[in-house]
Structures are given as structure tokens and as C-alpha cells.
Amino acid sequence: MAIGVVARQGSSDSRGRRPRPVVDLGGWGKGFVLAVSRRWTEPERAYRRWHRARAENDFALGAVQMVQVRADIWVANMVAQRGMKTGSGGSPIRYEAVERCLHTVADQALAHQASVHMPRIGCGLAGGKWERIEPIINKTLCARGVPTTVYAA
């Protein structure tokens, strides 16, 4: 795994997958998603459609929606957090869902000979701990041979 800087993300890489956790409530609008939305509008539109039609599709914790934003770049909308606020049930991030999502992202990356680029997913507003997320990334992506870059803030 390589560590980079978020400001340099996406400058010249090709065939990349960019995972980002999304909330199971249909919300969009804080954290890393704002940077995604400023660059590409389709991931948000696709996520909102996916959530609205959740009774007829696979939208649930652990599900992934791959959204193509350029010929060589896809954004992975990963349903990996329950709700939006830390409370008596702990932080919103669900580590098991992160693992299922990243396993799916790895399958896609391997099938397309792609690399994966992401911020420290689940560790900002989702309330997760990097000490728990990093081993999941190592297990699901790095150990399977997927070139992976995590961008630090």
C-alpha cells in the first residue's frame, strides 16, 4: 500500500477505482463526497437513484455500486455505515460492511487490471479507527495483489 496526499489524487493514474463509503440513509453532502461531487456529478446521482429504488435492488450494508466517471476511472459507492451520528450504538462505520465492500472492489480491480485509490475511508465523519480500517485494506486489496494507494489529508 502506498500513502499519498489527497490534493494530488487522480492527477495522472489510469484505470483507477475510487472507493468511498456511503450512508444507508440516502444522505450525501459531507466529507470526501463533496470533493467527488465537485469533480464528477454521476456518483451522487447514481447513489441517490440506487437508494430511492432500494426496495427493488441490492442496496444494503456491504453493497457496492460501481459508477464510471471516465473511460479509465470508476467510483465505488460502498454502503459501509449505518446512520450518520455516533451514539449509543457506537460510530456509524460498520467494519464488516467495509470488508465486504472492499472485497467486491478488489474483484472489480482485478478483473480490469486496475489500481485502487482512496482517502482513509471510514475514519472521518463515519467515526472509524484507522487501526481497524488499515488491516481490512491490507487483507482485501493488498494481499490479493491490487495496487492500492491511500491518500492522507
Side-chain angles (χ1 to χ4, degrees), residues 3-65:
I3 302 291
V5 178
V6 172
R8 298 178 62 199
Q9 179 175 350
S11 56
S12 63
D13 50 30
S14 66
R15 292 196 322 236
R17 303 293 190 262
R18 288 177 173 69
R20 49 159 307 281
V22 294
V23 184
D24 65 342
L25 300 176
W28 185 287
K30 290 191 176 190
F32 184 64
V33 299
L34 293 178
V36 171
S37 289
R38 278 193 296 274
R39 187 136 188 203
W40 304 292
T41 59
E42 188 53 33
E44 178 180 359
R45 285 193 310 237
Y47 168 73
R48 290 187 186 280
R49 282 191 307 267
W50 188 32
H51 181 264
R52 264 192 315 273
R54 65 191 175 280
E56 294 90 38
N57 64 39
D58 66 343
F59 187 96
L61 282 171
V64 176
Q65 178 191 54

Side-chain angles (χ1 to χ4, degrees), residues 26 33-34 46 66 78 85 108 122:
V33 299
L34 293 178
M66 300 299 294
M78 307 185 319
K85 295 186 180 188
Q108 291 291 314

Side-chain angles (χ1 to χ4, degrees), residues 1-146:
M1 173 174 18
I3 302 291
V5 178
V6 172
R8 298 178 62 199
Q9 179 175 350
S11 56
S12 63
D13 50 30
S14 66
R15 292 196 322 236
R17 303 293 190 262
R18 288 177 173 69
R20 49 159 307 281
V22 294
V23 184
D24 65 342
L25 300 176
W28 185 287
K30 290 191 176 190
F32 184 64
V33 299
L34 293 178
V36 171
S37 289
R38 278 193 296 274
R39 187 136 188 203
W40 304 292
T41 59
E42 188 53 33
E44 178 180 359
R45 285 193 310 237
Y47 168 73
R48 290 187 186 280
R49 282 191 307 267
W50 188 32
H51 181 264
R52 264 192 315 273
R54 65 191 175 280
E56 294 90 38
N57 64 39
D58 66 343
F59 187 96
L61 282 171
V64 176
Q65 178 191 54
M66 300 299 294
V67 181
Q68 189 168 11
V69 295
R70 278 190 6 199
D72 59 346
I73 297 177
W74 294 72
V75 172
N77 285 332
M78 307 185 319
V79 184
Q81 69 182 74
R82 167 84 61 206
M84 293 187 274
K85 295 186 180 188
T86 299
S88 60
S91 64
I93 196 69
R94 296 295 180 256
Y95 297 107
E96 320 78 44
V98 171
E99 187 167 342
R100 284 194 307 274
C101 289
L102 288 179
H103 183 80
T104 300
V105 170
D107 289 344
Q108 291 291 314
L110 289 168
H112 295 92
Q113 299 177 335
S115 57
V116 173
H117 302 259
M118 69 184 105
R120 289 186 172 201
I121 59 170
C123 295
L125 297 171
K129 304 287 184 211
W130 181 244
E131 304 79 49
R132 302 248 341 245
I133 296 288
E134 184 179 27
I136 295 170
I137 293 169
N138 285 329
K139 175 183 175 184
T140 58
L141 296 166
C142 301
R144 294 179 65 196
V146 176

